[in-house]
Amino acid sequence: MTNVVEKPTARPITPHGILVALLQKALKLAEENHISPEILDSLGQSFELAKGLDPYLDDYTTPESGALTALAQKTSQEDWGKRFNDHETVRQLEQEMLSGHLEGQTLKMFVHMTKARRILEVGMFTGYSALAMAEALPKDGQLIACEVDPYVAQFAQNCFSESPHGQKILVEVAPALDTLQKLAAKKESFDLIFIDADKKEYVQYFQTILDHDLLTTDGLICVDNTLLQGQVYLPPEQRSANGEAIAQFNRVVAADPRVEQVLLPVRDGITLIRRVA
């Protein structure tokens, strides 16, 4: 008889997902403690309203390509413990770092809207967002992806090889700041830049991009995780180190007169940034 290993239940990683889990817990406690029917009804309606949002968004967003489905499945099935021994790191790699369907299609739409031909991705992981954006690039377009870990980079490149759009992606294996400096030295520039790497270096990524003109005049910067599980608007004592880093990043961007920005509540927060004249 074959033993079936159950995949760990994904923990909520977005403000909305966390809210759904908290409402579910509150509803269960209310039922167990025989709270009044009026409160139970209100909690029940709140839970149903919150629970249905993410599945509905997925259902009415254009389906991902077969190559993206395969990449996501391969990522979830990979035994990250072969490379990363720390249990929490493995959980984060499997559950948190993949952009996923809704965000992937959002980024793909941004590529179409901006008519980008050159994209820079700061932080790649297994390449879901990179491949999603590459699918929207023209045949002669290029995406340069920064990834610090050789094992993960090779994993992504193996996935890219199974898609006709994978040839548009060039992976730079090095710390992201080193790659940014190298690209700046070569006077490179990009129509769209997606930032999703070390949260503690977000401010440095942002400043390097602007200071060295890595973004074209009419280019767009997209920054992931700018709500970071809601930590950015919770009291400072409830923030992790990454939560505080993102809160600082948001303050830096909002105070920079060179840009204007909008923070969208997509998944864990996406900030769109453009230069102003």
Side-chain angles (χ1 to χ4, degrees):
M1 180 177 176
T2 302
N3 291 326
V4 178
V5 178
E6 292 188 7
K7 183 182 173 183
T9 302
R11 62 188 178 97
I13 57 168
T14 67
H16 183 261
I18 293 168
L19 177 62
V20 172
L22 289 173
L23 282 171
Q24 185 176 32
K25 181 178 179 180
L27 182 59
K28 182 179 179 181
L29 288 171
E31 290 171 341
E32 290 173 350
N33 289 278
H34 308 291
I35 302 298
S36 72
E38 292 83 1
I39 295 176
L40 274 177
D41 183 61
S42 181
L43 276 174
Q45 290 188 52
S46 299
F47 173 62
E48 291 299 325
L49 184 63
K51 182 182 72 169
L53 179 59
D54 281 347
Y56 190 85
L57 294 175
D58 275 338
D59 287 345
Y60 287 90
T61 295
T62 299
E64 63 191 1
S65 67
L68 287 172
T69 299
L71 190 155
Q73 290 176 344
K74 188 174 180 181
T75 299
S76 68
Q77 293 165 0
E78 173 74 4
D79 181 8
W80 294 108
K82 290 188 297 186
R83 177 68 184 175
F84 303 96
N85 294 322
D86 180 72
H87 178 68
E88 283 305 309
T89 299
V90 172
R91 282 188 63 87
Q92 289 173 7
L93 283 170
E94 285 192 278
Q95 306 294 346
E96 294 184 23
M97 293 177 69
L98 197 74
S99 298
H101 172 223
L102 179 63
E103 186 169 357
Q105 293 302 305
T106 300
L107 292 169
K108 190 172 179 179
M109 187 69 75
F110 290 153
V111 177
H112 284 301
M113 292 168 64
T114 59
K115 294 179 170 49
R117 303 184 71 85
R118 301 198 76 229
I119 299 172
L120 174 63
E121 181 173 59
V122 184
M124 178 183 69
F125 187 42
T126 59
Y128 189 98
S129 53
L131 185 56
M133 290 187 286
E135 289 179 350
L137 279 171
K139 289 183 179 180
D140 60 347
Q142 184 183 52
L143 185 150
I144 296 178
C146 308
E147 174 52 49
V148 69
D149 189 90
Y151 180 86
V152 177
Q154 187 59 56
F155 183 100
Q157 288 176 317
N158 291 340
C159 294
F160 297 156
S161 67
E162 299 175 10
S163 166
H165 301 283
Q167 62 187 355
K168 304 172 189 175
I169 303 170
L170 173 65
V171 181
E172 293 281 354
V173 183
L177 283 172
D178 292 353
T179 300
L180 291 180
Q181 292 292 345
K182 183 175 80 171
L183 294 170
K186 294 167 64 177
K187 305 295 183 182
E188 302 264 17
S189 62
F190 300 88
D191 306 307
L192 191 151
I193 299 176
F194 179 49
I195 300 175
D196 184 18
D198 187 344
K199 311 312 171 193
K200 300 180 188 69
E201 293 184 348
Y202 266 30
V203 171
Q204 290 173 275
Y205 302 148
F206 171 70
Q207 292 175 339
T208 300
I209 288 165
L210 290 188
D211 293 346
H212 294 279
D213 294 323
L214 285 167
L215 184 70
T216 57
T217 303
D218 296 321
L220 178 69
I221 303 174
C222 303
V223 189
D224 198 18
N225 302 117
T226 48
L227 289 177
L228 205 87
Q229 302 175 11
Q231 293 182 31
V232 292
Y233 53 82
L234 294 176
E237 61 269 17
Q238 296 184 34
R239 295 175 190 159
S240 63
N242 279 345
E244 183 54 43
I246 293 298
Q248 180 189 4
F249 170 78
N250 290 341
R251 292 192 295 267
V252 167
V253 173
D256 195 317
R258 297 174 293 179
V259 299
E260 63 180 18
Q261 70 287 333
V262 59
L263 203 169
L264 304 177
V266 175
R267 198 168 177 262
D268 201 27
I270 300 178
T271 295
L272 307 182
I273 305 170
R274 64 178 291 272
R275 286 184 184 273
V276 294

PDB file of all heavy atoms in Angstrom, residues 227-247:
ATOM      1  N   LEU A 227       1.537  45.428   1.476  1.00  0.00           N
ATOM      2  CA  LEU A 227       0.649  45.394   2.652  1.00  0.00           C
ATOM      3  C   LEU A 227       1.174  44.413   3.703  1.00  0.00           C
ATOM      4  O   LEU A 227       0.811  44.504   4.868  1.00  0.00           O
ATOM      5  CB  LEU A 227      -0.781  45.012   2.246  1.00  0.00           C
ATOM      6  CG  LEU A 227      -1.557  46.070   1.460  1.00  0.00           C
ATOM      7  CD1 LEU A 227      -2.928  45.533   1.067  1.00  0.00           C
ATOM      8  CD2 LEU A 227      -1.706  47.353   2.257  1.00  0.00           C
ATOM      9  N   LEU A 228       1.996  43.486   3.296  1.00  0.00           N
ATOM     10  CA  LEU A 228       2.639  42.481   4.136  1.00  0.00           C
ATOM     11  C   LEU A 228       1.755  41.989   5.279  1.00  0.00           C
ATOM     12  O   LEU A 228       1.976  42.290   6.442  1.00  0.00           O
ATOM     13  CB  LEU A 228       3.979  42.965   4.686  1.00  0.00           C
ATOM     14  CG  LEU A 228       4.885  41.765   4.997  1.00  0.00           C
ATOM     15  CD1 LEU A 228       5.665  41.344   3.769  1.00  0.00           C
ATOM     16  CD2 LEU A 228       5.814  42.049   6.139  1.00  0.00           C
ATOM     17  N   GLN A 229       0.727  41.257   4.898  1.00  0.00           N
ATOM     18  CA  GLN A 229      -0.172  40.616   5.863  1.00  0.00           C
ATOM     19  C   GLN A 229      -0.865  41.625   6.784  1.00  0.00           C
ATOM     20  O   GLN A 229      -1.320  41.280   7.873  1.00  0.00           O
ATOM     21  CB  GLN A 229       0.613  39.594   6.709  1.00  0.00           C
ATOM     22  CG  GLN A 229       1.280  38.533   5.861  1.00  0.00           C
ATOM     23  CD  GLN A 229       2.155  37.585   6.659  1.00  0.00           C
ATOM     24  OE1 GLN A 229       2.133  37.577   7.874  1.00  0.00           O
ATOM     25  NE2 GLN A 229       2.920  36.786   5.963  1.00  0.00           N
ATOM     26  N   GLY A 230      -0.956  42.864   6.332  1.00  0.00           N
ATOM     27  CA  GLY A 230      -1.603  43.895   7.137  1.00  0.00           C
ATOM     28  C   GLY A 230      -0.705  44.505   8.192  1.00  0.00           C
ATOM     29  O   GLY A 230      -1.116  45.441   8.894  1.00  0.00           O
ATOM     30  N   GLN A 231       0.512  44.037   8.304  1.00  0.00           N
ATOM     31  CA  GLN A 231       1.404  44.526   9.358  1.00  0.00           C
ATOM     32  C   GLN A 231       1.709  46.016   9.223  1.00  0.00           C
ATOM     33  O   GLN A 231       1.930  46.701  10.225  1.00  0.00           O
ATOM     34  CB  GLN A 231       2.720  43.737   9.359  1.00  0.00           C
ATOM     35  CG  GLN A 231       2.581  42.292   9.766  1.00  0.00           C
ATOM     36  CD  GLN A 231       3.924  41.586   9.782  1.00  0.00           C
ATOM     37  OE1 GLN A 231       4.954  42.177  10.051  1.00  0.00           O
ATOM     38  NE2 GLN A 231       3.911  40.296   9.476  1.00  0.00           N
ATOM     39  N   VAL A 232       1.711  46.517   7.999  1.00  0.00           N
ATOM     40  CA  VAL A 232       2.113  47.908   7.778  1.00  0.00           C
ATOM     41  C   VAL A 232       1.158  48.909   8.423  1.00  0.00           C
ATOM     42  O   VAL A 232       1.554  50.041   8.742  1.00  0.00           O
ATOM     43  CB  VAL A 232       2.246  48.215   6.267  1.00  0.00           C
ATOM     44  CG1 VAL A 232       3.421  47.468   5.677  1.00  0.00           C
ATOM     45  CG2 VAL A 232       0.954  47.867   5.515  1.00  0.00           C
ATOM     46  N   TYR A 233      -0.109  48.526   8.622  1.00  0.00           N
ATOM     47  CA  TYR A 233      -1.059  49.460   9.241  1.00  0.00           C
ATOM     48  C   TYR A 233      -1.489  49.017  10.639  1.00  0.00           C
ATOM     49  O   TYR A 233      -2.354  49.634  11.250  1.00  0.00           O
ATOM     50  CB  TYR A 233      -2.277  49.705   8.342  1.00  0.00           C
ATOM     51  CG  TYR A 233      -3.009  48.475   7.860  1.00  0.00           C
ATOM     52  CD1 TYR A 233      -3.938  47.821   8.656  1.00  0.00           C
ATOM     53  CD2 TYR A 233      -2.784  47.995   6.573  1.00  0.00           C
ATOM     54  CE1 TYR A 233      -4.615  46.713   8.202  1.00  0.00           C
ATOM     55  CE2 TYR A 233      -3.466  46.877   6.103  1.00  0.00           C
ATOM     56  CZ  TYR A 233      -4.378  46.236   6.923  1.00  0.00           C
ATOM     57  OH  TYR A 233      -5.045  45.131   6.459  1.00  0.00           O
ATOM     58  N   LEU A 234      -0.867  47.949  11.143  1.00  0.00           N
ATOM     59  CA  LEU A 234      -1.070  47.559  12.533  1.00  0.00           C
ATOM     60  C   LEU A 234      -0.063  48.302  13.419  1.00  0.00           C
ATOM     61  O   LEU A 234       0.901  48.886  12.916  1.00  0.00           O
ATOM     62  CB  LEU A 234      -0.894  46.050  12.680  1.00  0.00           C
ATOM     63  CG  LEU A 234      -1.940  45.174  11.974  1.00  0.00           C
ATOM     64  CD1 LEU A 234      -1.585  43.707  12.116  1.00  0.00           C
ATOM     65  CD2 LEU A 234      -3.339  45.449  12.511  1.00  0.00           C
ATOM     66  N   PRO A 235      -0.269  48.318  14.741  1.00  0.00           N
ATOM     67  CA  PRO A 235       0.693  48.983  15.628  1.00  0.00           C
ATOM     68  C   PRO A 235       2.106  48.450  15.414  1.00  0.00           C
ATOM     69  O   PRO A 235       2.286  47.244  15.154  1.00  0.00           O
ATOM     70  CB  PRO A 235       0.174  48.646  17.033  1.00  0.00           C
ATOM     71  CG  PRO A 235      -1.291  48.399  16.835  1.00  0.00           C
ATOM     72  CD  PRO A 235      -1.423  47.768  15.486  1.00  0.00           C
ATOM     73  N   PRO A 236       3.132  49.300  15.494  1.00  0.00           N
ATOM     74  CA  PRO A 236       4.515  48.880  15.229  1.00  0.00           C
ATOM     75  C   PRO A 236       4.962  47.667  16.027  1.00  0.00           C
ATOM     76  O   PRO A 236       5.737  46.841  15.529  1.00  0.00           O
ATOM     77  CB  PRO A 236       5.336  50.121  15.610  1.00  0.00           C
ATOM     78  CG  PRO A 236       4.401  51.260  15.396  1.00  0.00           C
ATOM     79  CD  PRO A 236       3.034  50.749  15.767  1.00  0.00           C
ATOM     80  N   GLU A 237       4.478  47.520  17.264  1.00  0.00           N
ATOM     81  CA  GLU A 237       4.902  46.389  18.084  1.00  0.00           C
ATOM     82  C   GLU A 237       4.386  45.056  17.556  1.00  0.00           C
ATOM     83  O   GLU A 237       4.848  43.989  17.992  1.00  0.00           O
ATOM     84  CB  GLU A 237       4.470  46.581  19.537  1.00  0.00           C
ATOM     85  CG  GLU A 237       2.975  46.692  19.757  1.00  0.00           C
ATOM     86  CD  GLU A 237       2.464  48.134  19.701  1.00  0.00           C
ATOM     87  OE1 GLU A 237       3.213  48.997  19.169  1.00  0.00           O
ATOM     88  OE2 GLU A 237       1.352  48.376  20.187  1.00  0.00           O
ATOM     89  N   GLN A 238       3.446  45.085  16.625  1.00  0.00           N
ATOM     90  CA  GLN A 238       2.918  43.849  16.048  1.00  0.00           C
ATOM     91  C   GLN A 238       3.587  43.494  14.725  1.00  0.00           C
ATOM     92  O   GLN A 238       3.208  42.540  14.066  1.00  0.00           O
ATOM     93  CB  GLN A 238       1.406  43.981  15.844  1.00  0.00           C
ATOM     94  CG  GLN A 238       0.612  44.138  17.130  1.00  0.00           C
ATOM     95  CD  GLN A 238      -0.889  44.165  16.884  1.00  0.00           C
ATOM     96  OE1 GLN A 238      -1.393  43.494  15.975  1.00  0.00           O
ATOM     97  NE2 GLN A 238      -1.614  44.925  17.689  1.00  0.00           N
ATOM     98  N   ARG A 239       4.596  44.255  14.335  1.00  0.00           N
ATOM     99  CA  ARG A 239       5.263  44.022  13.056  1.00  0.00           C
ATOM    100  C   ARG A 239       6.488  43.132  13.215  1.00  0.00           C
ATOM    101  O   ARG A 239       7.215  43.239  14.194  1.00  0.00           O
ATOM    102  CB  ARG A 239       5.708  45.355  12.435  1.00  0.00           C
ATOM    103  CG  ARG A 239       4.580  46.280  12.052  1.00  0.00           C
ATOM    104  CD  ARG A 239       5.120  47.611  11.575  1.00  0.00           C
ATOM    105  NE  ARG A 239       4.050  48.591  11.419  1.00  0.00           N
ATOM    106  CZ  ARG A 239       4.225  49.899  11.409  1.00  0.00           C
ATOM    107  NH1 ARG A 239       5.449  50.409  11.536  1.00  0.00           N
ATOM    108  NH2 ARG A 239       3.192  50.709  11.273  1.00  0.00           N
ATOM    109  N   SER A 240       6.711  42.293  12.216  1.00  0.00           N
ATOM    110  CA  SER A 240       7.955  41.555  12.114  1.00  0.00           C
ATOM    111  C   SER A 240       9.014  42.483  11.526  1.00  0.00           C
ATOM    112  O   SER A 240       8.720  43.632  11.161  1.00  0.00           O
ATOM    113  CB  SER A 240       7.770  40.347  11.196  1.00  0.00           C
ATOM    114  OG  SER A 240       7.450  40.799   9.879  1.00  0.00           O
ATOM    115  N   ALA A 241      10.243  41.980  11.410  1.00  0.00           N
ATOM    116  CA  ALA A 241      11.300  42.789  10.796  1.00  0.00           C
ATOM    117  C   ALA A 241      10.939  43.135   9.356  1.00  0.00           C
ATOM    118  O   ALA A 241      11.140  44.271   8.897  1.00  0.00           O
ATOM    119  CB  ALA A 241      12.632  42.039  10.848  1.00  0.00           C
ATOM    120  N   ASN A 242      10.368  42.172   8.628  1.00  0.00           N
ATOM    121  CA  ASN A 242       9.947  42.452   7.256  1.00  0.00           C
ATOM    122  C   ASN A 242       8.788  43.442   7.221  1.00  0.00           C
ATOM    123  O   ASN A 242       8.715  44.304   6.336  1.00  0.00           O
ATOM    124  CB  ASN A 242       9.541  41.156   6.553  1.00  0.00           C
ATOM    125  CG  ASN A 242      10.730  40.381   6.033  1.00  0.00           C
ATOM    126  OD1 ASN A 242      11.835  40.901   5.932  1.00  0.00           O
ATOM    127  ND2 ASN A 242      10.512  39.122   5.705  1.00  0.00           N
ATOM    128  N   GLY A 243       7.865  43.318   8.184  1.00  0.00           N
ATOM    129  CA  GLY A 243       6.749  44.247   8.251  1.00  0.00           C
ATOM    130  C   GLY A 243       7.216  45.677   8.458  1.00  0.00           C
ATOM    131  O   GLY A 243       6.713  46.614   7.814  1.00  0.00           O
ATOM    132  N   GLU A 244       8.181  45.871   9.330  1.00  0.00           N
ATOM    133  CA  GLU A 244       8.725  47.202   9.568  1.00  0.00           C
ATOM    134  C   GLU A 244       9.480  47.717   8.343  1.00  0.00           C
ATOM    135  O   GLU A 244       9.399  48.897   8.005  1.00  0.00           O
ATOM    136  CB  GLU A 244       9.660  47.184  10.787  1.00  0.00           C
ATOM    137  CG  GLU A 244      10.218  48.549  11.158  1.00  0.00           C
ATOM    138  CD  GLU A 244       9.132  49.603  11.371  1.00  0.00           C
ATOM    139  OE1 GLU A 244       8.115  49.302  12.015  1.00  0.00           O
ATOM    140  OE2 GLU A 244       9.312  50.742  10.868  1.00  0.00           O
ATOM    141  N   ALA A 245      10.192  46.814   7.657  1.00  0.00           N
ATOM    142  CA  ALA A 245      10.919  47.212   6.447  1.00  0.00           C
ATOM    143  C   ALA A 245       9.967  47.695   5.364  1.00  0.00           C
ATOM    144  O   ALA A 245      10.232  48.699   4.683  1.00  0.00           O
ATOM    145  CB  ALA A 245      11.758  46.038   5.939  1.00  0.00           C
ATOM    146  N   ILE A 246       8.835  47.001   5.205  1.00  0.00           N
ATOM    147  CA  ILE A 246       7.868  47.416   4.186  1.00  0.00           C
ATOM    148  C   ILE A 246       7.173  48.710   4.595  1.00  0.00           C
ATOM    149  O   ILE A 246       6.924  49.587   3.751  1.00  0.00           O
ATOM    150  CB  ILE A 246       6.833  46.302   3.934  1.00  0.00           C
ATOM    151  CG1 ILE A 246       7.512  45.091   3.294  1.00  0.00           C
ATOM    152  CG2 ILE A 246       5.707  46.793   3.033  1.00  0.00           C
ATOM    153  CD1 ILE A 246       8.128  45.362   1.934  1.00  0.00           C
ATOM    154  N   ALA A 247       6.873  48.874   5.881  1.00  0.00           N
ATOM    155  CA  ALA A 247       6.278  50.128   6.347  1.00  0.00           C
ATOM    156  C   ALA A 247       7.213  51.295   6.060  1.00  0.00           C
ATOM    157  O   ALA A 247       6.779  52.374   5.620  1.00  0.00           O
ATOM    158  CB  ALA A 247       5.974  50.044   7.844  1.00  0.00           C
TER     159      ALA A 247
END
